[in-house]
């Protein structure tokens, strides 16, 4: 079972392994890291950890893009089982680590003896992983039997002992040090009375942690790891394996290995300054539920009730990141006006337009938007994290821009926050006033730069999608879907004619009418019926009554293929011209240029701005782009469903 | 079925001990395999528990001294 709750077929894992091998052969580090992240997402277990550790160790050390880091693990317990997971997660973040680990419980000797293996190893980072049980028994197993005065003195003692260890270490080594704070015991010794007593065990451990944090703050390059918070996030009973603790002095359960390694790697990235700078967000079904262009301001889910409250929570988490210095940006396929309205008017919107430092709202492919954002903000693409709910968009970005870190949001919005924060991509080790201002600086830059578009790569993107189109007459099997499309499609809909199934049937029983559905498949799967054309042959002209595309395929030139097909049919039926109409609505901006851009001439425009357009077929027809494969099922004009 | 279970276990042990699956068989034991030390034994337990979704008792962990013991212990629990 993967972390996002989906059961993945072994074939998928096997294909990821194959990707890993291919990345190795090609020396493609970005691809290898990305595949490692996906493997760790899908199957965070000992086998994958071992696989990735071996893989990471086999990566050429001459590759300077893989940041080398010597990590020493000092602990009061048996900790070697965490090594594979640590190496695996580190590699997925671009860190090639070498590990050193003396026997457990030898942390004092290793630090105090200048000739120890620790110093010979020349660590860049030392992780001091101490369990409270071992470090300070008076606050744990012996708490109840320890007199109150002695309990209080443990707080002073732990501060002194940690300071002297750190001072001794600093004499021999400049490495950064990560010091675990202390987790709470599963049961306080005094049971339910604990918090009622003057000096409770829980509060004592809290004070010990204050002392640890203070000693760390005083010393340069020493950081307290919130181990207590980590255990708390998962729960003692899941975190610890009592059996292994007693049998092998290995108290950390196998389920805890991944979260522990992930937590350490947050700090390791921070030490090397590898924390991400910019979060790029999708909008529909990411910052709110639903599709703004279809559901409208009142229809999107954002507010006090489920699922709207889950999206509010997610926006709050994003705002927190923004306030601590993460740049946030938008890459969304939408009408700019719809999005402006949502940010301007929705009363439950937590994020404001001015929080975003870059803004890509249009129908161009997302990899282009990300490139644009990186260049506007003048940051590397490898500093960008992209979050989207749509697996196809995520895969597309992964493929086109392997250096970008992609968060595929899970299907349940209540799990968005954990998906955003679990890996701590933006976590830093210190917060400067520069950090919190940084996003504002970038925001100003955004306003100064004009928005450019790279049309050159659109075609590449469309080819890469490997789209197949199936054109078929509206029939009994597709009538319901065709009618539904006329009812629900608002954006790419030239005339917004709404049909019930019965109305549509009535049209189709007239032999002068033709109606066809367009099914689009791409390398990510089958999008189903996403396009509909209805037209009528009158005199020598083919009149387009309905021309629509579902929003999920806007921006993929499917409309060109639809018009090309219609031209061919019109010529076959002896028509001289195609005639189309644009009836503007509040939502259909994306469709308004469709006839103009395909060589139609404007005939008329009335007071309501409705226009009609004509294409002379003898002057040349619309050509189908060669990146589509089109299969036509028989379409007769007037074919009866 | 039991054959494929044996193969799976061989694969897991080979992976942990860093050797070929074909090198593991009935003669493999904690005495004969240098790589089968106590740390790798715990790794093996974790790996088996994850692979077969089961949990061993300490006595079972201690009693798995040979490849055959491992197969039989797992077999009794799946």
């Amino acid at each position: 079972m993967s972390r996002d709750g989906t059961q993945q077929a072994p074939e998928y894992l096997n294909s990821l392994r194959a990707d890993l091998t291919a990345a190795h052969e090609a020396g493609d580090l970005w691809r290898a890291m990305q595949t490692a992240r996906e493997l760790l997402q899908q199957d965070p277990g000992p086998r994958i950890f071992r696989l990735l550790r071996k893989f990471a160790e086999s990566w050429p050390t001459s590759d300077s893009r893989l940041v080398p880091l010597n990590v020493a693990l000092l602990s009061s317990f048996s900790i070697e089982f965490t090594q594979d997971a640590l190496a695996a997660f580190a590699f997925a973040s671009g860190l090639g680590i070498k590990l050193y680990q003396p026997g457990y419980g030898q942390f004092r000797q290793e630090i105090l003896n200048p000739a120890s293996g620790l110093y010979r190893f020349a660590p860049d980072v030392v992780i001091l992983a101490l369990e409270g049980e071992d470090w300070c028994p008076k606050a744990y197993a012996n708490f109840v039997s320890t007199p109150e005065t002695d309990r209080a003195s443990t707080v002073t003692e732990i501060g002194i002992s940690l300071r002297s260890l750190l001072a001794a270490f600093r004499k021999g080594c400049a490495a950064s040090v990560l010091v675990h704070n202390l987790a709470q015991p599963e049961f306080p010794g005094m049971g339910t009375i604990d918090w009622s007593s003057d000096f409770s065990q829980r509060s004592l451990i809290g004070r010990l942690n204050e002392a640890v944090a203070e000693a760390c703050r005083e010393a340069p390059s020493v950081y307290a790891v919130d181990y207590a918070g980590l255990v708390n996030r998962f729960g003692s009973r899941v975190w610890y394996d009592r059996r292994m603790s007693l049998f092998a002095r290995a108290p950390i359960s196998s389920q805890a290995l991944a979260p522990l390694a992930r937590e350490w790697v947050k700090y390791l990235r921070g030490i090397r300054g590898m924390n991400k700078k910019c979060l790029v967000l999708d909008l529909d079904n990411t910052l709110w539920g639903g599709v703004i262009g279809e559901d409208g301001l009142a229809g999107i889910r954002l507010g006090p009730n489920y699922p709207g409250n889950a999206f509010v929570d997610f926006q709050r988490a994003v705002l927190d990141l923004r306030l601590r210095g993460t740049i946030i940006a938008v890459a969304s396929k939408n009408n700019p006006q719809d999005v402006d309205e949502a940010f301007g008017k929705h009363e439950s919107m937590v994020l404001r337009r001015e929080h975003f430092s870059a803004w890509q709202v249009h129908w161009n492919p997302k990899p282009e938007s990300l490139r644009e954002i990186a260049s506007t903000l003048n940051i590397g693409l490898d500093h960008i994290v992209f979050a989207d709910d749509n697996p196809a968009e995520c895969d597309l970005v992964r493929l086109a821009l392997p250096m970008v870190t992609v968060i595929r949001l899970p299907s349940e919005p209540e799990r968005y926050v954990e998906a955003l924060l679990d890996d701590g991509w933006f976590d830093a080790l210190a917060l400067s006033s520069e950090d919190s201002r940084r996003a504002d600086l970038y925001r100003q830059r955004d306003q100064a730069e004009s928005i450019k578009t790279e049309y050159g790569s659109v075609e590449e993107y469309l080819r890469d999608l490997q789209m197949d189109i199936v054109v078929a007459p509206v029939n009994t099997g597709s009538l319901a879907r065709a009618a539904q499309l006329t009812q629900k499609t608002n954006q790419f809909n030239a005339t917004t004619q709404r049909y019930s199934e019965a109305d549509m049937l009535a049209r189709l029983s007239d032999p002068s009418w033709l109606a066809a559905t367009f099914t689009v498949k791409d390398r990510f799967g089958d999008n189903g019926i996403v396009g509909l054309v209805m037209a009528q042959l009158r005199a020598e002209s083919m009149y387009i009554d309905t021309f629509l595309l579902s929003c999920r395929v806007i921006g993929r030139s499917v409309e060109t293929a639809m018009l090309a097909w219609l031209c061919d049919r019109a010529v076959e039926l002896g028509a001289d011209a195609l005639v189309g109409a644009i009836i503007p609505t509040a939502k259909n901006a994306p469709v308004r240029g469709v006839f103009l851009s395909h060589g139609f001439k404007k005939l008329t425009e009335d007071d309501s701005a409705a226009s009609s357009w004509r294409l002379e077929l003898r002057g040349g027809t619309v050509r189908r782009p060669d990146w589509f494969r089109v299969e036509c099922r028989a379409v007769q004009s007037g074919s009866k469903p | 079925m039991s054959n494929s279970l044996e193969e799976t276990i061989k694969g897991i042990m080979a992976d942990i001990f860093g050797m070929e699956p074909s090198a593991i068989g009935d003669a493999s034991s904690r005495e004969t395999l240098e790589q089968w030390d106590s740390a790798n034994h715990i790794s093996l337990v974790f790996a088996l528990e994850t692979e077969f979704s089961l949990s061993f008792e300490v006595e079972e962990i201690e009693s798995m001294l040979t490849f055959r013991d491992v197969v039989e212990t797992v077999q009794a629990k799946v």
Side-chain angles (χ1 to χ4, degrees):
Chain A
M1 193 74 118
S2 72
R3 280 179 58 228
D4 61 9
T6 51
Q7 192 83 46
Q8 287 297 334
E11 301 88 72
Y12 182 61
L13 289 178
N14 286 337
S15 82
L16 287 174
R17 286 163 187 249
D19 289 351
L20 211 52
T21 312
H24 194 276
E25 279 162 11
D28 190 343
L29 179 65
W30 296 125
R31 186 81 57 203
M33 284 162 55
Q34 180 189 65
T35 309
R37 289 196 293 271
E38 184 66 10
L39 275 165
L40 289 169
Q41 171 81 20
Q42 296 301 335
D43 186 14
R47 201 157 16 151
I48 294 298
F49 299 155
R50 247 188 320 276
L51 173 86
L52 289 175
R53 182 184 186 180
K54 282 184 197 154
F55 184 82
E57 286 168 356
S58 74
W59 198 268
T61 45
S62 56
D63 188 340
S64 61
R65 294 168 303 170
L66 189 64
V67 177
L69 198 68
N70 281 5
V71 179
L73 273 172
L74 302 186
S75 70
S76 63
F77 52 89
S78 189
I79 203 172
E80 52 263 50
F81 316 105
T82 61
Q83 289 191 7
D84 294 342
L86 175 57
F89 279 96
F91 180 76
S93 282
L95 287 161
I97 61 170
K98 261 200 263 172
L99 281 161
Y100 169 77
Q101 187 201 317
Y104 67 80
Q106 292 174 21
F107 63 96
R108 280 194 190 84
Q109 297 91 305
E110 287 281 324
I111 290 174
L112 297 174
N113 174 6
S116 71
L118 174 66
Y119 298 109
R120 281 200 304 277
F121 173 67
D124 300 301
V125 182
V126 174
I127 299 177
L128 199 53
L130 306 178
E131 284 289 347
E133 194 79 55
D134 310 317
W135 180 238
C136 200
K138 281 180 194 163
Y140 286 84
N142 304 340
F143 175 79
V144 179
S145 60
T146 301
E148 219 166 278
T149 46
D150 285 6
R151 293 175 188 171
S153 63
T154 57
V155 179
T156 329
E157 283 161 21
I158 203 170
I160 293 169
S161 126
L162 183 56
R163 278 187 185 87
S164 69
L165 266 184
L166 290 171
F169 179 72
R170 268 290 164 266
K171 280 186 202 151
C173 190
S176 300
V177 184
L178 305 179
V179 183
H180 278 203
N181 68 7
L182 311 181
Q184 293 281 353
E186 188 175 345
F187 297 104
M190 296 298 285
T192 50
I193 303 172
D194 189 62
W195 270 121
S196 315
S197 39
D198 290 339
F199 202 142
S200 73
Q201 189 174 11
R202 295 262 187 244
S203 80
L204 172 58
I205 291 166
R207 286 182 225 186
L208 291 173
N209 284 340
E210 284 297 335
V212 168
E214 205 182 303
C216 292
R217 278 196 298 269
E218 283 171 10
S221 303
V222 178
Y223 308 96
V225 173
D226 185 18
Y227 184 73
L230 188 59
V231 175
N232 187 45
R233 202 179 307 151
F234 294 86
S236 301
R237 208 164 281 185
V238 174
W239 191 267
Y240 291 113
D241 185 332
R242 290 302 288 169
R243 175 192 60 166
M244 286 301 188
S245 171
L246 298 169
F247 167 65
R249 298 270 297 156
I252 296 173
S253 74
S254 55
Q255 295 105 290
L257 297 178
L260 178 58
R262 191 180 286 123
E263 191 73 14
W264 282 339
V265 170
K266 290 181 193 175
Y267 289 84
L268 301 185
R269 278 197 306 260
I271 285 167
R272 279 289 182 252
M274 295 166 79
N275 45 314
K276 305 295 178 189
K277 292 187 178 136
C278 174
L279 171 64
V280 179
L281 293 152
D282 170 48
L283 295 176
D284 291 329
N285 286 316
T286 294
L287 288 192
W288 51 72
V291 177
I292 184 74
E294 294 292 336
D295 302 325
L297 188 64
I300 56 171
R301 269 76 77 196
L302 184 68
N305 301 312
Y306 189 84
N309 48 6
F311 290 97
V312 171
D313 281 356
F314 183 63
Q315 289 202 14
R316 284 208 186 101
V318 172
L319 181 59
D320 283 351
L321 289 178
R322 166 69 167 70
L323 294 176
R324 68 189 210 215
T326 304
I327 307 164
I328 60 174
V330 162
S332 165
K333 289 185 175 174
N334 254 314
N335 287 332
Q337 311 88 286
D338 290 340
V339 171
D340 289 344
E341 191 188 15
F343 278 94
K345 294 190 185 156
H346 203 292
E347 57 182 16
S348 297
M349 199 70 71
V350 176
L351 292 166
R352 299 276 149 213
R353 175 67 180 84
E354 56 269 23
H355 291 134
F356 295 91
S357 304
W359 191 261
Q360 292 285 313
V361 179
H362 45 61
W363 297 93
N364 292 339
K366 298 217 176 175
E368 258 185 38
S369 297
L370 289 168
R371 280 200 198 98
E372 197 56 44
I373 289 167
S375 99
T376 308
L377 301 176
N378 197 20
I379 57 174
L381 281 158
D382 55 322
H383 282 116
I384 288 182
V385 176
F386 169 67
D388 197 317
D389 66 296
N390 183 331
E393 298 287 5
C394 291
D395 278 0
L396 191 68
V397 170
R398 278 203 193 99
L399 217 91
L401 305 172
M403 67 295 281
V404 169
T405 301
V406 176
I407 297 176
R408 184 185 54 227
L409 295 168
S411 49
E412 314 92 324
E414 62 272 25
R415 294 181 49 227
Y416 281 16
V417 173
E418 79 182 47
L420 176 67
L421 300 181
D422 253 353
D423 278 294
W425 293 117
F426 308 100
D427 286 355
L429 292 181
L431 182 67
S432 66
S433 59
E434 230 76 271
D435 288 327
S436 34
R437 272 192 10 242
R438 185 194 299 128
D440 291 321
L441 295 174
Y442 280 108
R443 160 92 187 120
Q444 290 155 11
R445 201 181 297 182
D446 167 46
Q447 287 167 333
E449 295 227 1
S450 66
I451 290 164
K452 299 166 286 182
T453 316
E454 297 168 25
Y455 283 107
S457 53
V458 174
E459 186 179 321
E460 216 172 288
Y461 158 70
L462 295 172
R463 278 187 201 289
D464 188 51
L465 280 171
Q466 297 162 25
M467 288 182 282
D468 290 338
I469 295 183
V470 178
V471 191
V474 173
N475 55 33
T476 32
S478 62
L479 179 68
R481 171 64 179 157
Q484 184 197 44
L485 276 174
T486 70
Q487 295 292 338
K488 287 179 61 176
T489 309
N490 297 318
Q491 301 188 88
F492 203 98
N493 192 339
T495 54
T496 320
Q497 298 282 354
R498 310 290 195 194
Y499 285 103
S500 67
E501 291 181 34
D503 293 338
M504 196 175 280
L505 261 181
R507 290 273 193 276
L508 295 176
S509 62
D510 179 337
S512 66
W513 280 80
L514 68 93
T517 58
F518 294 75
T519 301
V520 177
K521 291 175 200 165
D522 57 39
R523 35 184 293 267
F524 301 110
D526 189 345
N527 295 288
I529 294 178
V530 289
L532 176 73
V533 170
M534 291 172 67
Q536 187 185 24
L537 187 65
R538 292 200 304 266
E540 256 72 67
S541 295
M542 183 68 88
Y543 287 85
I544 304 170
D545 168 84
T546 294
F547 189 82
L548 66 81
L549 260 185
S550 160
C551 60
R552 72 183 103 146
V553 293
I554 297 180
R556 294 186 178 190
S557 75
V558 178
E559 62 278 15
T560 307
M562 287 165 70
L563 283 172
W565 173 85
L566 189 59
C567 284
D568 292 347
R569 289 294 298 143
V571 169
E572 277 170 44
L573 294 168
D576 295 335
L578 286 186
V579 180
I582 297 287
I583 302 174
T585 66
K587 298 273 175 230
N588 73 351
V591 81
R592 281 180 213 158
V594 69
F595 294 126
L596 180 65
S597 64
H598 289 88
F600 287 60
K601 299 272 179 292
K602 196 195 266 187
L603 290 179
T604 58
E605 181 162 347
D606 66 18
D607 296 344
S608 63
S611 53
S612 64
W613 299 80
R614 182 178 174 93
L615 180 72
E616 297 296 339
L617 293 171
R618 270 168 303 197
T621 59
V622 177
R623 295 256 187 84
R624 169 170 60 82
D626 66 356
W627 46 81
F628 288 110
R629 274 209 332 226
V630 177
E631 178 195 334
C632 294
R633 309 259 160 87
V635 188
Q636 303 294 321
S637 58
S639 61
K640 292 200 177 127
Chain B
M1 178 63 202
S2 74
N3 263 342
S4 85
L5 183 123
E6 281 190 21
E7 290 311 310
T8 308
I9 292 174
K10 268 185 203 173
I12 291 171
M13 293 174 86
D15 186 25
I16 293 169
F17 301 156
M19 48 202 292
E20 289 301 314
S22 55
I24 291 172
D26 285 348
S28 306
S29 73
R30 294 192 62 172
E31 289 199 342
T32 60
L33 283 182
E34 189 193 337
Q35 299 93 324
W36 196 342
D37 58 17
S38 51
N40 276 341
H41 191 58
I42 307 297
S43 294
L44 175 61
V45 167
F46 280 166
L48 293 169
E49 290 184 332
T50 310
E51 177 72 30
F52 299 105
S53 305
L54 45 79
S55 174
F56 295 109
E57 290 172 20
V58 170
E59 278 146 29
E60 291 166 323
I61 298 171
E62 286 183 306
S63 71
M64 291 189 277
L65 300 172
T66 65
F67 169 70
R68 198 42 44 204
D69 294 338
V70 174
V71 172
E72 281 164 13
T73 310
V74 171
Q75 223 154 25
K77 298 185 81 90
V78 290

